[in-house]
Amino acid sequence: MAGISIRNLVKSYGSFTVVPDLSLEIADHEFVVFVGPSGCGKSTLLRIIAGLEPITSGELYIGDKRVNGVPAAQRDIAMVFQDYALYPHMRVYDNMAFALQLRGMPKSDIDSRVRQAAAMLHIEAYLDRKPKELSGGQRQRVAMGRAIVRNPQVFLFDEPLSNLDAKLRAQVRAEIKALSQQLRTTMVFVTHDQIEAMTMADRIVVLQGGVVQQYDTPEVVYERPANQFVAGFIGSPTMNFFAVEWRGDAAVFAADATPAPLDDALGARLRAAAGKAVAGVRPEHFQVVSANASGIPVQIKLVEPLGSDTLIHFEVAGAAAIARVDPSLKPKPGERLFLKPQPGKIHLFDAANGRVLP
Amino acid sequence: MNSTLLSETLIRRLNTAQLVLAGILIMSPTAWMVLSSFKPSFEVTAYPPTLVFSPTLENYVELMQTTPFFSYAVNSLVVTLGSAGLGLLFGIPAAFAVSWTRISWPAVLALAARMAPGTLFLLPWYVMFRQVGMIGSYTALILSHAVITLPIVIWVLLPSFDNIPRSIFEAAQVDGCSITRVLWKIALPLVGSGIAVAAILSFVFSWNYFLFALVLSNGDSKTLIAAAFNFVGEGSTQWGALMAAATLIALPPLVLAAIVQRWLVSGLTLGAVKG
């Protein structure tokens, strides 16, 4: 087991820089998820840790060992690939045993490790099959089994759930989480799916343009996003954003100068930011209030019943917005109602650079 | 509707006619060769050619009596197997390296060597091999024929290696394989059919290559195809024996070419990755 330390890492392809200057500490036993949109550098970073991509400059440590230039074969890491990357000519058993055979481990030890991992992943029945005889979910388990038998210092996962259907994805997600708690090995998991990031991670690294936007626990990333990008990326449906201004002695929506429901503390922060900011409210942080409770008057444009919740689409000061409401309200398109952000659930971001306002 | 059907029928018939025509053009010299080998010598050059004749083995008997046919066959086999083996030995790692590094100029260079006329190499080789006393040796013939086989191996195997998902090689690296081991343990078993095709094509092309053997061999190391040339004299040509020799020489490549077809279809990498 080992932690990972990335220090001032730069990764360029010719004149194109993917990761400009990144430093990151992943603690031993920690489950860290790299999340971000396509092209944010998350997979490149994982491949750098794996030793599949060279570092342009900076340092990378796995445990106490500096591994710049150390081949993947000598890093004692295991990786689960997006496309599983099973060896097609080998049986499941041999796929799992391969790395151990390369290390010259005695046959009896290999056998017990493979069978133990197979039992853990419920794939004992498939050990004699070739990968092409397995379903997507089964192949995914074999790929995990191949990593588990190694008992490596670090597990790396490169979007391993993206090829599974929604139901299976949820199931395997839970299994990986359980596995991480059972194995207590350092794990780095790459995904573009923020639900995977939120549900599995001890800490999340939100990346954009090769730059760490926020590195914290899922709760903090969700509750106190560091900037507008993180606020918009984490959470589904995404956070609603409205341009707000301080005009005269009140906060208003910039688009139509109607009153914005900011309390005194938020008003002070808005004034401190030269009177201009972006307010963010998550769909689940709106509450439906009565007409006299100083809520924002809205007209429902679209209703999406999800069963457990209902999403209503509406406009506030010309900006499209979504709120998650109780399905017992039975909202209807065209209906008018009053919405109010829950106390303490409005986020204010700098209008120029998107950073959260202090 | 009717016009569509009509044009479809017409297209199908034209396709068939085209295939039949191509088949006749390709097969008629071969058929002429085989039939001539069974004709009495006076009928081989008869004009117009006779299609009905009493088949005879006299040409084959003459061939066996006047030439050490089996010695030449052994020579051909040694040179062909040697050069095909040499081509595979160097071509497999070369193709893998080109695929791995995505640096393609060495493969293009090898292809250029194959496309250049053989006479371009022949004179320098003749001088070089004569200086080191290797004219007439198997080694000289095997080395020269490797120019034929090496590009074949590289260019047949290159797409096979390219078709293996990169992640499989990366998984092997993460599992602890050096690049050599990736080639040996992972890539090679996955391109088995490509290797078979490359080996057989190398064999066929080397077996049939005439020019180098004609100049670089001697009486002891002459290959079949060069030996067959002996039947072409300055004043007269023994067409019957020549056709018998040509028929026998054509047999191994024909058999191998038939085998290749079985290997061309392969689904080995199926199931390795998603989908």
Side-chain angles (χ1 to χ4, degrees):
Chain A
M1 314 293 158
I4 299 168
S5 177
I6 301 169
R7 300 174 193 172
N8 301 109
L9 184 134
V10 177
K11 175 65 188 175
S12 303
Y13 296 97
S15 59
F16 179 63
T17 301
V18 184
V19 181
D21 180 9
L22 189 142
S23 296
L24 202 67
E25 297 290 331
I26 296 169
D28 195 5
H29 306 309
E30 200 171 20
F31 193 137
V32 169
V33 174
F34 293 170
V35 69
S38 296
C40 71
K42 56 189 188 297
S43 283
T44 305
L45 204 53
L46 192 81
R47 292 170 57 78
I48 286 172
I49 297 172
L52 298 171
E53 292 281 348
I55 296 171
T56 306
S57 71
E59 289 182 305
L60 174 66
Y61 288 81
I62 296 178
D64 298 329
K65 190 180 169 193
R66 187 174 184 270
V67 293
N68 289 40
V70 174
Q74 293 164 25
R75 291 197 181 191
D76 194 17
I77 41 121
M79 186 159 167
V80 178
F81 289 80
Q82 185 174 7
D83 60 9
Y84 317 135
L86 301 178
Y87 309 127
H89 56 300
M90 296 183 192
R91 298 176 305 144
V92 166
Y93 183 98
D94 298 317
N95 261 280
M96 291 168 72
F98 183 62
L100 306 179
Q101 287 163 351
L102 286 176
R103 281 161 181 74
M105 187 180 274
K107 270 190 177 173
S108 57
D109 291 358
I110 294 177
D111 191 64
S112 74
R113 275 214 205 180
V114 169
R115 294 193 186 280
Q116 199 181 343
M120 199 187 282
L121 295 161
H122 312 294
I123 50 171
E124 303 109 305
Y126 315 125
L127 286 176
D128 285 326
R129 293 196 194 170
K130 291 268 181 74
K132 68 178 173 190
E133 297 167 83
L134 303 177
S135 71
Q138 289 162 348
R139 285 180 210 171
Q140 215 283 336
R141 279 163 208 270
V142 176
M144 292 215 299
R146 190 169 65 176
I148 289 172
V149 292
R150 298 263 313 275
N151 194 18
Q153 290 203 79
V154 177
F155 273 111
L156 305 175
F157 295 87
D158 188 7
E159 306 208 32
L161 309 183
S162 56
N163 291 321
L164 303 179
D165 62 51
K167 192 179 167 194
L168 200 55
R169 201 180 312 155
Q171 187 189 332
V172 178
R173 197 171 68 206
E175 284 173 4
I176 293 178
K177 172 112 180 172
L179 202 66
S180 78
Q181 286 164 358
Q182 194 179 339
L183 298 173
R184 299 301 298 151
T185 308
T186 310
M187 293 190 178
V188 183
F189 190 104
V190 160
T191 180
H192 61 269
D193 183 342
Q194 48 98 17
I195 296 174
E196 284 174 19
M198 291 294 288
T199 51
M200 292 196 286
D202 292 330
R203 283 199 290 172
I204 296 176
V205 179
V206 186
L207 284 160
Q208 190 198 21
V211 176
V212 176
Q213 303 294 315
Q214 190 164 7
Y215 181 26
D216 220 315
T217 62
E219 295 75 23
V220 171
V221 170
Y222 176 80
E223 293 289 346
R224 299 199 299 277
N227 57 40
Q228 197 177 336
F229 173 79
V230 176
F233 194 79
I234 299 291
S236 178
T238 187
M239 186 184 276
N240 303 295
F241 295 109
F242 314 100
V244 290
E245 285 181 11
W246 188 264
R247 286 190 196 166
D249 58 354
V252 295
F253 290 110
D256 59 3
T258 53
L262 303 189
D263 59 21
D264 291 346
L266 288 169
R269 283 162 65 189
L270 178 59
R271 285 197 303 280
K276 285 190 178 182
V278 173
V281 182
R282 295 199 183 279
E284 50 274 34
H285 293 154
F286 277 115
Q287 51 190 352
V288 180
V289 294
S290 58
N292 56 3
S294 66
I296 309 164
V298 301
Q299 183 172 20
I300 299 172
K301 293 193 129 185
L302 184 74
V303 176
E304 287 184 282
L306 302 178
S308 57
D309 308 294
T310 296
L311 300 179
I312 55 171
H313 294 242
F314 52 92
E315 278 186 5
V316 172
I322 300 175
R324 189 188 292 270
V325 299
D326 191 328
S328 65
L329 283 173
K330 298 195 187 325
K332 302 222 167 13
E335 198 178 315
R336 286 181 173 278
L337 44 79
F338 292 88
L339 294 174
K340 193 173 177 180
Q342 291 170 14
K345 298 296 185 185
I346 297 178
H347 306 264
L348 277 187
F349 304 100
D350 190 300
N353 58 29
R355 280 193 210 123
V356 72
L357 288 180
Chain B
M1 181 78 182
N2 275 344
S3 65
T4 317
L5 271 179
L6 188 70
S7 66
E8 273 181 15
T9 317
L10 191 68
I11 288 168
R12 209 172 322 141
R13 280 181 186 165
L14 283 172
N15 272 343
T16 313
Q18 190 177 306
L19 286 173
V20 168
L21 191 67
I24 289 171
L25 281 173
I26 293 166
M27 290 309 293
S28 40
T30 313
W32 187 80
M33 172 187 81
V34 176
L35 287 176
S36 298
S37 74
F38 291 106
K39 282 179 183 176
S41 50
F42 63 87
E43 266 189 86
V44 176
T45 52
Y47 188 83
T50 50
L51 285 175
V52 182
F53 59 91
S54 317
T56 171
L57 289 175
E58 70 178 57
N59 293 323
Y60 289 90
V61 173
E62 188 194 345
L63 175 69
M64 297 302 165
Q65 281 174 345
T66 57
T67 62
F69 188 85
F70 287 105
S71 308
Y72 293 150
V74 169
N75 291 342
S76 272
L77 212 59
V78 169
V79 171
T80 302
L81 290 178
S83 62
L86 200 64
L88 288 170
L89 188 68
F90 290 101
I92 291 171
F96 181 66
V98 168
S99 173
W100 180 279
T101 59
R102 305 200 196 283
I103 299 171
S104 56
W105 67 261
V108 175
L109 199 70
L111 186 66
R114 176 70 188 91
M115 289 166 92
T119 42
L120 199 75
F121 302 99
L122 201 56
L123 207 59
W125 276 353
Y126 182 78
V127 173
M128 281 161 54
F129 285 134
R130 199 183 57 182
Q131 277 182 351
V132 291
M134 279 171 64
I135 294 288
S137 70
Y138 283 144
T139 315
L141 286 170
I142 288 170
L143 283 175
S144 61
H145 277 219
V147 168
I148 315 294
T149 59
L150 192 63
I152 292 172
V153 173
I154 292 176
W155 281 92
V156 167
L157 285 181
L158 196 52
S160 303
F161 284 128
D162 283 346
N163 278 339
I164 301 174
R166 194 87 177 171
S167 57
I168 291 180
F169 295 157
E170 290 175 345
Q173 282 180 282
V174 169
D175 267 350
C177 284
S178 61
I179 290 178
T180 324
R181 256 199 171 137
V182 172
L183 168 62
W184 187 245
K185 293 264 187 185
I186 305 296
L188 269 191
L190 294 179
V191 296
S193 55
I195 290 174
V197 172
I200 289 170
L201 288 181
S202 298
F203 184 95
V204 170
F205 280 91
S206 173
W207 179 270
N208 288 335
Y209 206 77
F210 170 70
L211 189 62
F212 297 158
L214 184 72
V215 178
L216 300 175
S217 65
N218 61 16
D220 290 335
S221 63
K222 195 163 277 184
T223 61
L224 273 178
I225 199 104
F229 194 55
N230 286 349
F231 291 108
V232 181
E234 275 187 32
S236 67
T237 298
Q238 292 164 269
W239 287 108
L242 182 61
M243 290 304 112
T247 303
L248 288 178
I249 292 168
L251 270 180
L254 277 177
V255 171
L256 287 174
I259 296 170
V260 170
Q261 291 184 28
R262 285 180 52 214
W263 285 91
L264 282 172
V265 184
S266 167
L268 205 57
T269 57
L270 219 115
V273 295
K274 64 181 171 180

